[in-house]
Amino acid sequence: MDSVGVAAATPEARPGPAWQSKCPWGAPSTTSISCSLADVMSEQLAKELQLEEENAAFPEVVAAAEGPFITGENIDTSSDLMLAQMLQMEFDREYDAQLRREEKKINGDSKVSISFENYRKVHPYDSDSSEDEVDWQDTRHDPYRADKPTTTPRRGFIGKGKDITTKHDEVVCGRKNTARMENFAPEFQVGDGIGMDLKLSNQVFNALKQHAYSEERRSARLHEKKEHSTAEKAVDPKTRLLLYKMVNSGMLETITGCISTGKESVVFHAYGGSATEDKVIPPECAIKVFKTTLNEFKNRDKYIKDDYRFKDRFSKLNPRKIIRMWAEKEMHNLTRMQNAGIPCPQVVILKKHVLVMSFIGQDQVPAPKLKDVTLSSEDMKKAYYQILNMMQQLYRECNLVHADLSEYNMLWHDGKVWLIDVSQSVEPTHPHGLEFLFRDCRNVSQFFQKGGVAEALNERELFNAVSGLNITADNEVDFQAEIEALEKMNEDHVQNHGKKLSTFSSDGDPPIYDE
Ligand code: ADP
Ligand code: MN
């Protein structure tokens, strides 16, 4: 950041329009070019100088589609947007420092202090901590709460005899009103009346207050609009900056481009950077960015809300944090699968709503989904048995149900099937866990039966083979009903014992309790 030469610039006294008094990007460097009179008159030279100047002011923009998306080398000059964001970040940080100084100056040793906390501009992504965001629902600190005014005693007057002053005293009120202007937002210019003994009448003060508040609301509205429009795009500025940081830190070498845009996530390909002390970065990575457009996740609430691992946290969280939980969930589930030896992406790092994992594929080409690949009947059969095996491992060793298993979320790579997309995966004792498993089984058995694998079990047989349960119903409807009855039994058990069974068991083994 220092390399762009903004760190040294400090805005002047008031936190408002600092750019008016001093350029936050530092003084422009003036280069004096000495030349002869002939040179000065030369049209050719004039053109050249002009060109030079233009080039310096507007560095050439590399088209994102052609060149690499983000690389260590081109980052500083290729993206005007990124540059602007970095500058903005730097500017905001200085603004906040100034705000703190201002706050200190105003509060001094006073017992009653005011806070500008809500006017701070430092962005949540400007920190590596994941717990740095101000919680939306955190109302403990409310800067809009009026400060206690210096009070007139209960009896409503002070002094004695002819020196008596009541709370309605014009002079006292006027001074109080002037002091109250400090409660307006700092960007609302109230002038410098200190030492002038200004007295504002109630009427003037109220008019000013109204105006200050409506200005504040107007700027909040504008801000809101801006936030919405960025959320519509695939990657918002916050995410871009997170990605930029990964490249800048050397963890990633280059982010080459997007390999998938889904409703809930965008996936990028990247070349891995240098290894750190505790981590080996794979040569190629996939970056899954969970979309921060909040609406998309609403219909997936049930997966996480009823997952007891996340239950306690769910109700306390704001939507942005819930999205981070999806990413976190995918990370945990992938780790479990990795430990069980199931072929799946290996987790590299999780940063907020961005999950970096190993790339399944080669040379930027992602492995094809099972639905897109034409396999020989031999490979098809091999894939089927592998999946049967993986589903059992997933259930028994990882204590997980994929919950979105289909030919869309299985990749064919290196002669075998790889499982991906496990953010929605749940434990089998999730209130709908067995239903999800049954749906997975239906997808898998239909795909392989259609694909000509004669040995493929039907969905009910597959369900029993994976879960170890022995549901005997010979038709779909009854089977489904038995599944739901089992789920209900489990829920009742939770109600009565306050604890979940970690596995469904039909073989008389004692139930195993989790954690
Ligand atoms: P979504 O929720 O959008 O379906 P997925 O995790 O299924 O998210 O990823 C979307 C697509 O991105 C996948 O279908 C696959 O083509 C690609 N993809 C995801 N992760 C990887 C990975 N680790 N390696 C290669 N391709 C991947
Ligand atoms: Mn998917």
Side-chain angles (χ1 to χ4, degrees), residues 163 231 365 370 493:
D163 293 330
V365 183
L370 223 47
H493 179 90

Side-chain angles (χ1 to χ4, degrees), residues 163-388:
D163 293 330
I164 202 163
T165 43
T166 72
K167 64 183 170 191
H168 302 297
D169 182 87
E170 216 175 293
V171 175
V172 173
C173 269
R175 285 193 190 124
K176 248 191 239 166
N177 285 342
T178 307
R180 276 190 201 145
M181 284 198 311
E182 295 289 5
N183 287 341
F184 296 166
E187 57 266 30
F188 189 80
Q189 298 288 338
V190 292
D192 185 2
I194 294 171
M196 287 169 65
D197 197 20
L198 278 177
K199 294 174 258 325
L200 286 182
S201 75
N202 285 347
Q203 198 188 358
V204 171
F205 174 75
N206 283 333
L208 265 174
K209 191 171 78 178
Q210 276 307 319
H211 180 61
Y213 286 176
S214 68
E215 280 293 289
E216 217 173 281
R217 276 199 301 272
R218 195 171 67 95
S219 95
R221 267 203 310 276
L222 285 176
H223 185 66
E224 207 172 52
K225 247 190 197 160
K226 207 169 68 195
E227 287 236 314
H228 271 286
S229 66
T230 51
E232 299 297 335
K233 291 183 196 147
V235 177
D236 61 14
K238 291 178 191 186
T239 309
R240 272 186 86 87
L241 222 55
L242 266 178
L243 296 179
Y244 162 69
K245 275 185 159 188
M246 289 179 183
V247 174
N248 214 24
S249 71
M251 195 193 83
L252 297 179
E253 178 70 35
T254 322
I255 299 175
T256 60
C258 177
I259 46 180
S260 157
T261 319
K263 259 206 324 232
E264 286 116 8
S265 72
V266 186
V267 181
F268 296 99
H269 170 274
Y271 283 109
S274 42
T276 57
E277 285 153 28
D278 58 336
K279 238 180 215 107
V280 180
I281 314 290
E284 289 184 77
C285 296
I287 307 170
K288 187 165 178 177
V289 177
F290 288 76
K291 276 199 187 170
T292 46
T293 319
L294 307 172
N295 298 340
E296 302 291 354
F297 280 89
K298 287 251 165 65
N299 52 7
R300 294 178 78 183
D301 271 5
K302 66 174 179 197
Y303 288 99
I304 211 163
K305 206 166 55 196
D306 295 331
D307 188 327
Y308 77 98
R309 290 178 294 170
F310 293 86
K311 211 166 197 163
D312 291 341
R313 291 166 61 192
F314 188 83
S315 59
K316 299 187 193 98
L317 294 174
N318 65 47
R320 206 188 325 220
K321 287 200 173 152
I322 289 170
I323 285 160
R324 285 198 205 166
M325 263 166 71
W326 282 103
E328 200 186 310
K329 208 161 174 251
E330 175 130 35
M331 178 189 69
H332 286 311
N333 292 340
L334 282 176
T335 308
R336 280 194 197 185
M337 289 160 70
Q338 196 77 40
N339 291 341
I342 295 173
C344 68
Q346 192 180 352
V347 173
V348 177
I349 201 170
L350 171 76
K351 285 259 178 200
K352 300 188 177 180
H353 58 290
V354 175
L355 179 67
V356 183
M357 54 190 149
S358 65
F359 180 71
I360 314 301
Q362 210 184 347
D363 298 332
Q364 296 186 42
V365 183
K369 298 180 186 76
L370 223 47
K371 80 161 182 82
D372 291 328
V373 78
T374 319
L375 296 181
S376 66
S377 61
E378 200 180 317
D379 274 346
M380 198 69 172
K381 196 168 137 184
K382 193 171 130 194
Y384 171 73
Y385 280 110
Q386 196 206 328
I387 290 164
L388 172 61

